[in-house]
Coordinates of all heavy atoms in Angstrom, one line a residue:
M769 N -8.4 -2.4 11.4 CA -7.2 -1.8 10.8 C -6.1 -2.0 11.8 O -6.2 -1.9 13.0 CB -7.5 -0.3 10.7 CG -6.3 0.5 10.3 SD -6.7 2.2 9.9 CE -7.7 2.8 11.3
N770 N -5.0 -2.5 11.3 CA -3.8 -2.8 12.1 C -2.8 -1.7 11.8 O -2.2 -1.6 10.7 CB -3.2 -4.1 11.7 CG -4.2 -5.3 11.8 OD1 -4.9 -5.3 12.8 ND2 -4.2 -6.2 10.9
A771 N -2.5 -0.9 12.8 CA -1.5 0.2 12.6 C -0.1 -0.4 12.9 O 0.1 -1.1 13.8 CB -1.7 1.3 13.5
V772 N 0.8 -0.1 12.0 CA 2.2 -0.6 12.2 C 3.1 0.6 12.3 O 3.3 1.3 11.4 CB 2.6 -1.5 10.9 CG1 4.1 -1.9 11.1 CG2 1.7 -2.7 10.7
P773 N 3.6 0.8 13.6 CA 4.4 2.0 13.8 C 5.7 2.0 13.0 O 6.1 3.0 12.5 CB 4.6 2.0 15.3 CG 4.3 0.7 15.8 CD 3.4 0.0 14.8
D774 N 6.4 0.9 13.0 CA 7.6 0.7 12.3 C 7.4 -0.4 11.3 O 6.9 -1.5 11.7 CB 8.8 0.4 13.2 CG 9.1 1.6 14.1 OD1 9.1 2.7 13.6 OD2 9.3 1.4 15.3
M775 N 7.8 -0.3 10.1 CA 7.7 -1.3 9.1 C 8.6 -2.5 9.4 O 9.8 -2.3 9.7 CB 8.0 -0.8 7.7 CG 6.9 0.1 7.2 SD 7.3 0.7 5.5 CE 7.2 2.4 5.8
P776 N 8.1 -3.7 9.3 CA 8.9 -4.9 9.4 C 10.0 -4.9 8.4 O 9.8 -4.3 7.3 CB 8.0 -6.1 9.2 CG 6.6 -5.5 9.2 CD 6.7 -4.0 9.0
A777 N 11.2 -5.5 8.6 CA 12.3 -5.5 7.7 C 12.0 -5.9 6.3 O 12.5 -5.3 5.4 CB 13.4 -6.3 8.3
P778 N 11.1 -7.0 6.1 CA 10.8 -7.4 4.7 C 10.1 -6.4 3.9 O 10.1 -6.4 2.7 CB 10.0 -8.6 4.9 CG 10.2 -9.1 6.3 CD 10.5 -7.8 7.1
L779 N 9.4 -5.4 4.5 CA 8.7 -4.4 3.8 C 9.4 -3.1 3.9 O 9.4 -2.5 5.0 CB 7.2 -4.3 4.3 CG 6.4 -5.5 4.1 CD1 5.0 -5.2 4.8 CD2 6.2 -5.8 2.7
L780 N 9.9 -2.6 2.8 CA 10.7 -1.4 2.9 C 10.0 -0.4 1.9 O 9.9 -0.6 0.7 CB 12.1 -1.6 2.4 CG 13.0 -0.4 2.4 CD1 13.1 0.2 3.8 CD2 14.4 -0.8 1.9
F781 N 9.4 0.7 2.5 CA 8.8 1.7 1.7 C 9.7 2.9 1.8 O 9.8 3.6 2.8 CB 7.4 2.0 2.4 CG 6.5 3.0 1.6 CD1 6.6 3.1 0.2 CD2 5.6 3.7 2.3 CE1 5.8 4.0 -0.5 CE2 4.7 4.6 1.6 CZ 4.8 4.7 0.2
T782 N 10.5 3.1 0.8 CA 11.6 4.1 0.8 C 11.0 5.5 0.7 O 9.9 5.8 0.3 CB 12.6 3.9 -0.3 OG1 11.9 4.1 -1.6 CG2 13.2 2.5 -0.3
D783 N 11.8 6.5 1.2 CA 11.5 7.9 1.0 C 11.2 8.3 -0.4 O 10.3 9.0 -0.7 CB 12.6 8.8 1.6 CG 12.7 8.7 3.1 OD1 11.7 8.4 3.8 OD2 13.8 8.9 3.7
S784 N 12.1 7.8 -1.3 CA 12.0 8.0 -2.7 C 10.6 7.6 -3.3 O 10.0 8.3 -4.0 CB 13.1 7.4 -3.5 OG 13.0 7.6 -4.8
A785 N 10.3 6.3 -2.9 CA 9.0 5.8 -3.4 C 7.8 6.6 -2.8 O 6.9 6.9 -3.5 CB 8.9 4.3 -3.0
A786 N 7.9 6.9 -1.5 CA 6.8 7.7 -0.9 C 6.7 9.0 -1.6 O 5.6 9.5 -1.8 CB 7.1 7.8 0.6
N787 N 7.8 9.7 -1.9 CA 7.7 11.0 -2.5 C 7.1 10.9 -3.9 O 6.4 11.8 -4.3 CB 9.1 11.6 -2.6 CG 9.6 12.0 -1.2 OD1 8.8 12.4 -0.3 ND2 10.9 12.1 -1.0
K788 N 7.5 9.8 -4.7 CA 6.9 9.6 -6.0 C 5.4 9.4 -5.9 O 4.6 10.0 -6.7 CB 7.6 8.5 -6.7 CG 7.0 8.2 -8.1 CD 7.2 9.4 -9.0 CE 6.7 9.1 -10.4 NZ 6.8 10.2 -11.3
V789 N 5.0 8.6 -4.9 CA 3.5 8.3 -4.8 C 2.8 9.6 -4.4 O 1.7 9.9 -4.9 CB 3.3 7.2 -3.7 CG1 1.8 7.1 -3.3 CG2 3.8 5.9 -4.2
K790 N 3.5 10.4 -3.5 CA 2.9 11.7 -3.1 C 2.7 12.6 -4.3 O 1.6 13.3 -4.5 CB 3.8 12.4 -2.1 CG 3.3 13.8 -1.6 CD 2.7 13.7 -0.3 CE 2.4 15.0 0.3 NZ 1.0 15.5 -0.1
D791 N 3.7 12.7 -5.2 CA 3.5 13.4 -6.5 C 2.4 13.0 -7.3 O 1.6 13.8 -7.8 CB 4.8 13.3 -7.3 CG 6.0 14.1 -6.7 OD1 5.8 14.9 -5.8 OD2 7.1 13.8 -7.1
L792 N 2.2 11.6 -7.4 CA 1.1 11.1 -8.2 C -0.3 11.4 -7.5 O -1.2 11.7 -8.3 CB 1.2 9.6 -8.3 CG 2.4 9.1 -9.2 CD1 2.6 7.6 -9.0 CD2 2.2 9.5 -10.6
I793 N -0.3 11.4 -6.2 CA -1.6 11.7 -5.5 C -1.9 13.2 -5.7 O -3.0 13.6 -6.0 CB -1.5 11.4 -4.0 CG1 -1.5 9.8 -3.9 CG2 -2.6 12.0 -3.2 CD1 -1.2 9.4 -2.5
D794 N -0.8 14.0 -5.7 CA -1.0 15.5 -5.9 C -1.6 15.7 -7.3 O -2.4 16.6 -7.5 CB 0.3 16.2 -5.7 CG 0.7 16.3 -4.2 OD1 -0.2 16.0 -3.3 OD2 1.9 16.6 -3.9
E795 N -1.1 15.0 -8.3 CA -1.5 15.1 -9.7 C -3.0 14.8 -9.8 O -3.7 15.4 -10.6 CB -0.7 14.2 -10.6 CG 0.6 14.7 -10.9 CD 1.4 13.8 -11.9 OE1 0.7 13.0 -12.6 OE2 2.6 13.8 -11.8
E796 N -3.5 13.8 -9.0 CA -4.9 13.4 -9.0 C -5.8 14.4 -8.3 O -7.0 14.5 -8.6 CB -5.1 12.0 -8.3 CG -4.5 10.9 -9.0 CD -5.2 10.6 -10.3 OE1 -6.4 10.7 -10.4 OE2 -4.4 10.3 -11.3
G797 N -5.2 15.2 -7.4 CA -6.0 16.3 -6.8 C -6.9 15.8 -5.7 O -7.9 16.4 -5.4
N798 N -6.6 14.6 -5.1 CA -7.5 14.0 -4.1 C -6.6 13.6 -2.9 O -6.0 12.5 -3.0 CB -8.2 12.8 -4.7 CG -9.2 12.2 -3.7 OD1 -9.2 12.5 -2.5 ND2 -10.0 11.3 -4.2
D799 N -6.5 14.4 -1.9 CA -5.7 14.1 -0.7 C -6.2 12.8 0.1 O -5.5 12.4 0.9 CB -5.6 15.3 0.2 CG -4.9 16.4 -0.4 OD1 -4.0 16.2 -1.3 OD2 -5.1 17.6 0.0
A800 N -7.4 12.3 -0.2 CA -7.9 11.2 0.5 C -7.3 9.9 -0.1 O -7.5 8.8 0.5 CB -9.4 11.1 0.4
L801 N -6.6 9.9 -1.2 CA -6.1 8.7 -1.8 C -4.9 8.1 -1.0 O -4.1 8.8 -0.4 CB -5.6 9.0 -3.2 CG -6.6 9.3 -4.3 CD1 -6.0 9.7 -5.6 CD2 -7.6 8.2 -4.4
K802 N -5.0 6.7 -1.0 CA -3.9 6.0 -0.3 C -3.4 4.9 -1.3 O -4.2 4.5 -2.2 CB -4.5 5.3 0.9 CG -5.1 6.2 1.9 CD -6.1 5.4 2.9 CE -6.8 6.3 3.8 NZ -7.8 7.2 3.2
L803 N -2.2 4.5 -1.2 CA -1.6 3.5 -2.1 C -2.0 2.1 -1.5 O -1.6 1.8 -0.4 CB -0.1 3.7 -2.2 CG 0.6 2.6 -3.1 CD1 0.1 2.8 -4.5 CD2 2.1 2.8 -3.0
R804 N -2.6 1.3 -2.3 CA -3.0 -0.1 -1.9 C -2.1 -1.0 -2.7 O -2.0 -0.9 -3.9 CB -4.4 -0.4 -2.2 CG -4.8 -1.8 -1.8 CD -6.2 -2.1 -1.9 NE -7.0 -1.3 -0.9 CZ -7.1 -1.6 0.4 NH1 -6.4 -2.7 0.9 NH2 -7.8 -0.9 1.2
V805 N -1.4 -1.9 -2.0 CA -0.5 -2.9 -2.6 C -1.2 -4.2 -2.4 O -1.7 -4.5 -1.3 CB 0.9 -2.9 -1.9 CG1 1.7 -4.0 -2.5 CG2 1.5 -1.6 -2.0
F806 N -1.3 -5.1 -3.5 CA -2.0 -6.3 -3.3 C -1.4 -7.4 -4.1 O -0.6 -7.2 -5.0 CB -3.5 -6.2 -3.8 CG -3.7 -5.7 -5.2 CD1 -3.8 -6.6 -6.2 CD2 -3.7 -4.3 -5.5 CE1 -3.9 -6.2 -7.5 CE2 -3.8 -3.9 -6.8 CZ -4.0 -4.8 -7.8
V807 N -1.7 -8.7 -3.7 CA -1.2 -9.9 -4.4 C -2.4 -10.6 -4.9 O -3.4 -10.8 -4.2 CB -0.3 -10.7 -3.5 CG1 0.1 -12.0 -4.1 CG2 0.8 -9.9 -2.9
Q808 N -2.3 -11.1 -6.2 CA -3.4 -11.9 -6.7 C -2.8 -13.3 -7.2 O -1.6 -13.3 -7.6 CB -4.1 -11.3 -7.9 CG -4.8 -10.0 -7.6 CD -5.4 -9.4 -8.8 OE1 -4.7 -9.2 -9.8 NE2 -6.7 -9.1 -8.8
G809 N -3.6 -14.3 -7.1 CA -3.1 -15.6 -7.7 C -3.0 -15.5 -9.2 O -3.8 -14.9 -9.8
G810 N -1.9 -16.0 -9.7 CA -1.7 -15.9 -11.1 C -1.7 -17.2 -11.8 O -1.2 -17.4 -12.9
G811 N -2.2 -18.3 -11.2 CA -2.3 -19.6 -11.8 C -0.9 -20.2 -11.9 O -0.1 -20.1 -11.0
C812 N -0.6 -20.8 -13.0 CA 0.7 -21.5 -13.2 C 1.9 -20.5 -13.2 O 3.0 -21.0 -12.9 CB 0.7 -22.2 -14.6 SG -0.5 -23.5 -14.6
S813 N 1.7 -19.3 -13.5 CA 2.8 -18.3 -13.5 C 3.1 -17.7 -12.1 O 3.9 -16.8 -12.0 CB 2.5 -17.2 -14.5 OG 1.4 -16.5 -14.2
G814 N 2.4 -18.1 -11.1 CA 2.6 -17.6 -9.8 C 1.8 -16.4 -9.4 O 0.7 -16.2 -10.0
F815 N 2.2 -15.7 -8.5 CA 1.5 -14.5 -8.0 C 1.7 -13.3 -9.0 O 2.7 -13.2 -9.6 CB 1.9 -14.1 -6.6 CG 1.6 -15.1 -5.6 CD1 2.6 -15.8 -4.9 CD2 0.3 -15.5 -5.3 CE1 2.3 -16.8 -4.0 CE2 0.0 -16.4 -4.3 CZ 1.0 -17.1 -3.7
Q816 N 0.7 -12.4 -8.9 CA 0.8 -11.2 -9.6 C 0.7 -10.1 -8.5 O -0.2 -10.2 -7.7 CB -0.3 -11.0 -10.7 CG -0.1 -12.0 -11.8 CD -1.0 -11.7 -13.0 OE1 -1.4 -10.6 -13.1 NE2 -1.2 -12.6 -13.8
Y817 N 1.5 -9.1 -8.6 CA 1.5 -8.0 -7.6 C 1.0 -6.7 -8.3 O 1.2 -6.5 -9.4 CB 2.9 -7.8 -7.2 CG 3.5 -9.0 -6.5 CD1 4.2 -10.0 -7.3 CD2 3.4 -9.3 -5.2 CE1 4.7 -11.1 -6.8 CE2 3.9 -10.4 -4.6 CZ 4.5 -11.4 -5.4 OH 5.0 -12.5 -4.9
G818 N 0.2 -6.0 -7.5 CA -0.4 -4.8 -8.1 C -0.4 -3.6 -7.1 O -0.3 -3.8 -5.9
F819 N -0.6 -2.5 -7.7 CA -0.7 -1.2 -6.9 C -1.9 -0.5 -7.5 O -2.2 -0.5 -8.7 CB 0.5 -0.3 -7.1 CG 1.8 -1.0 -6.8 CD1 2.5 -1.7 -7.8 CD2 2.3 -0.9 -5.5 CE1 3.7 -2.3 -7.5 CE2 3.5 -1.5 -5.2 CZ 4.2 -2.2 -6.2
T820 N -2.7 0.2 -6.6 CA -3.8 1.0 -7.0 C -4.0 2.1 -5.9 O -3.5 2.0 -4.8 CB -5.1 0.2 -7.2 OG1 -6.1 1.0 -7.8 CG2 -5.6 -0.4 -5.9
F821 N -4.7 3.1 -6.3 CA -5.1 4.1 -5.3 C -6.5 3.8 -4.8 O -7.3 3.3 -5.5 CB -5.1 5.5 -5.9 CG -3.7 6.1 -6.2 CD1 -3.3 6.4 -7.4 CD2 -2.8 6.2 -5.1 CE1 -2.1 6.9 -7.7 CE2 -1.5 6.7 -5.4 CZ -1.2 7.1 -6.7
D822 N -6.7 4.0 -3.5 CA -7.9 3.7 -2.8 C -8.2 4.8 -1.8 O -7.3 5.3 -1.2 CB -7.8 2.3 -2.1 CG -9.1 1.7 -1.8 OD1 -10.1 2.4 -1.8 OD2 -9.1 0.5 -1.5
E823 N -9.5 5.1 -1.6 CA -9.9 6.1 -0.6 C -10.3 5.4 0.7 O -10.4 6.0 1.7 CB -11.0 6.9 -1.1 CG -10.7 7.9 -2.3 CD -11.8 8.7 -2.7 OE1 -13.0 8.4 -2.3 OE2 -11.6 9.7 -3.5
E824 N -10.6 4.1 0.6 CA -11.2 3.3 1.7 C -10.1 2.5 2.4 O -9.2 1.9 1.8 CB -12.3 2.4 1.3 CG -13.4 3.1 0.6 CD -14.2 4.0 1.5 OE1 -14.4 3.7 2.7 OE2 -14.6 5.1 1.1
T825 N -10.1 2.5 3.7 CA -9.3 1.6 4.5 C -10.2 0.5 5.1 O -11.2 0.8 5.8 CB -8.6 2.4 5.7 OG1 -7.8 3.4 5.1 CG2 -7.7 1.5 6.5
N826 N -9.9 -0.7 4.8 CA -10.7 -1.9 5.3 C -10.2 -2.3 6.7 O -9.1 -2.0 7.1 CB -10.6 -3.0 4.3 CG -11.1 -2.7 3.0 OD1 -12.0 -1.9 2.8 ND2 -10.4 -3.2 1.9
E827 N -11.1 -3.0 7.4 CA -10.8 -3.4 8.8 C -9.5 -4.3 8.9 O -8.8 -4.2 9.8 CB -12.0 -4.2 9.4 CG -13.0 -3.3 9.9 CD -14.1 -4.1 10.7 OE1 -13.8 -5.1 11.3 OE2 -15.3 -3.7 10.6
D828 N -9.3 -5.1 7.8 CA -8.2 -6.1 7.9 C -6.9 -5.5 7.3 O -5.9 -6.2 7.2 CB -8.5 -7.4 7.2 CG -8.7 -7.3 5.7 OD1 -8.9 -6.2 5.2 OD2 -8.5 -8.4 5.0
D829 N -6.9 -4.2 6.9 CA -5.7 -3.6 6.3 C -4.6 -3.4 7.3 O -4.9 -2.9 8.4 CB -6.1 -2.3 5.6 CG -6.8 -2.4 4.3 OD1 -6.8 -3.5 3.7 OD2 -7.5 -1.5 3.9
T830 N -3.4 -3.6 6.9 CA -2.3 -3.1 7.6 C -2.0 -1.7 7.0 O -2.0 -1.5 5.8 CB -1.0 -4.0 7.4 OG1 -1.3 -5.3 8.0 CG2 0.2 -3.4 8.1
V831 N -1.8 -0.7 7.9 CA -1.6 0.7 7.4 C -0.2 1.1 7.8 O 0.2 1.0 9.0 CB -2.6 1.6 8.1 CG1 -2.4 3.0 7.7 CG2 -4.1 1.1 7.8
M832 N 0.5 1.6 6.8 CA 1.8 2.2 7.0 C 1.9 3.6 6.5 O 1.3 3.8 5.4 CB 2.9 1.3 6.3 CG 2.9 -0.1 6.8 SD 4.1 -1.0 5.8 CE 3.8 -2.7 6.4
E833 N 2.6 4.5 7.2 CA 2.6 5.9 6.7 C 4.1 6.3 6.6 O 4.9 5.9 7.4 CB 1.9 6.8 7.7 CG 0.4 6.5 7.6 CD -0.4 7.5 8.4 OE1 0.1 8.6 8.7 OE2 -1.6 7.2 8.7
K834 N 4.4 7.0 5.5 CA 5.7 7.6 5.3 C 5.6 8.8 4.5 O 4.9 8.8 3.5 CB 6.6 6.5 4.6 CG 8.0 7.0 4.4 CD 8.9 5.9 4.2 CE 10.2 6.2 4.9 NZ 10.9 5.2 5.5
S835 N 6.2 9.9 4.9 CA 6.3 11.1 4.2 C 4.9 11.6 3.8 O 4.7 12.1 2.6 CB 7.2 11.0 3.0 OG 8.5 10.6 3.4
G836 N 3.9 11.4 4.6 CA 2.5 11.9 4.3 C 1.8 11.0 3.3 O 0.7 11.3 2.9
V837 N 2.3 9.8 3.0 CA 1.6 8.8 2.2 C 1.2 7.6 3.0 O 2.0 7.1 3.8 CB 2.5 8.4 1.0 CG1 1.9 7.3 0.2 CG2 2.9 9.5 0.1
T838 N 0.0 7.2 2.8 CA -0.5 6.0 3.5 C -0.5 4.8 2.6 O -1.0 4.9 1.5 CB -2.0 6.2 4.0 OG1 -2.0 7.4 4.9 CG2 -2.5 5.0 4.8
L839 N 0.1 3.7 3.1 CA 0.2 2.5 2.3 C -0.7 1.5 3.0 O -0.7 1.3 4.2 CB 1.6 2.0 2.4 CG 2.0 0.6 1.7 CD1 1.8 0.7 0.2 CD2 3.4 0.2 2.1
L840 N -1.6 0.8 2.2 CA -2.5 -0.2 2.7 C -2.2 -1.5 2.1 O -1.9 -1.7 0.9 CB -3.9 0.2 2.2 CG -4.5 1.6 2.6 CD1 -5.8 1.8 1.9 CD2 -4.6 1.8 4.1
I841 N -2.2 -2.5 2.9 CA -2.0 -3.9 2.5 C -3.1 -4.8 3.2 O -3.2 -4.8 4.4 CB -0.6 -4.5 2.9 CG1 0.4 -3.5 2.4 CG2 -0.5 -5.9 2.3 CD1 1.8 -3.8 2.9
D842 N -3.9 -5.5 2.4 CA -4.9 -6.4 3.0 C -4.3 -7.6 3.7 O -3.1 -7.9 3.3 CB -6.0 -6.8 2.0 CG -5.4 -7.7 0.9 OD1 -5.4 -8.9 1.1 OD2 -4.9 -7.1 -0.1
A843 N -4.9 -8.2 4.6 CA -4.4 -9.3 5.4 C -3.9 -10.5 4.5 O -2.8 -11.0 4.8 CB -5.4 -9.8 6.4
M844 N -4.6 -10.8 3.5 CA -4.2 -11.9 2.6 C -3.0 -11.6 1.8 O -2.0 -12.4 1.8 CB -5.4 -12.3 1.6 CG -5.0 -13.5 0.8 SD -4.8 -15.0 1.7 CE -6.5 -15.5 1.9
S845 N -2.9 -10.4 1.3 CA -1.7 -10.0 0.5 C -0.5 -9.9 1.4 O 0.6 -10.2 1.0 CB -2.0 -8.7 -0.2 OG -3.0 -8.8 -1.2
Y846 N -0.7 -9.4 2.6 CA 0.4 -9.1 3.5 C 1.3 -10.3 3.8 O 2.5 -10.2 3.8 CB -0.1 -8.6 4.9 CG 1.0 -8.1 5.8 CD1 1.5 -6.8 5.7 CD2 1.5 -8.9 6.8 CE1 2.4 -6.4 6.6 CE2 2.5 -8.5 7.6 CZ 2.9 -7.2 7.5 OH 3.9 -6.8 8.4
Q847 N 0.7 -11.5 3.9 CA 1.4 -12.7 4.2 C 2.3 -13.1 3.0 O 3.3 -13.9 3.2 CB 0.5 -13.8 4.6 CG -0.5 -14.3 3.5 CD -1.4 -15.3 4.0 OE1 -1.1 -16.1 4.9 NE2 -2.6 -15.3 3.5
Y848 N 2.1 -12.6 1.8 CA 2.9 -13.0 0.6 C 3.9 -11.9 0.2 O 4.7 -12.1 -0.7 CB 2.0 -13.2 -0.6 CG 1.1 -14.4 -0.4 CD1 -0.2 -14.3 -0.1 CD2 1.6 -15.7 -0.4 CE1 -1.0 -15.4 0.1 CE2 0.9 -16.8 -0.2 CZ -0.5 -16.7 0.1 OH -1.3 -17.8 0.3
L849 N 3.9 -10.8 1.0 CA 4.9 -9.7 0.6 C 6.1 -9.9 1.5 O 6.1 -10.4 2.6 CB 4.3 -8.4 0.9 CG 3.1 -8.0 -0.1 CD1 2.5 -6.7 0.3 CD2 3.7 -7.9 -1.5

């Protein structure tokens, strides 16, 4: 797990976004949920970007925290964001 104390300039996780994610996690009733952002190959149409909730943090994840929300990005996806 790679902890990032300050987010690099290209990745901006705003307070507004963090608060919305926090509301969604609260609706789920599971404080262990983290927001996972990922990139998948999309063939001829390019990359596809996705978001999901995850309870697990993988060894290669970059971890960012804001307003009580944890954001996870796997190493492969991180290079494309």
Side-chain angles (χ1 to χ4, degrees):
M769 171 174 49
N770 302 318
V772 177
D774 294 315
M775 287 182 234
L779 296 176
L780 179 62
F781 188 28
T782 65
D783 290 330
S784 178
N787 290 332
K788 181 60 179 176
V789 172
K790 178 101 173 92
D791 290 344
L792 293 170
I793 290 172
D794 289 344
E795 284 179 24
E796 291 293 321
N798 183 351
D799 291 337
L801 292 177
K802 302 163 185 67
L803 178 66
R804 179 171 296 282
V805 178
F806 59 91
V807 177
Q808 292 179 313
C812 296
S813 62
F815 294 114
Q816 294 193 19
Y817 301 86
F819 303 90
T820 189
F821 287 121
D822 198 343
E823 292 181 348
E824 301 295 322
T825 302
N826 300 323
E827 279 188 34
D828 71 337
D829 285 340
T830 295
V831 179
M832 300 176 185
E833 294 189 17
K834 180 155 216 148
S835 301
V837 174
T838 303
L839 175 70
L840 306 173
I841 307 169
D842 66 90
M844 182 64 83
S845 296
Y846 187 86
Q847 64 185 329
Y848 295 105
L849 294 173

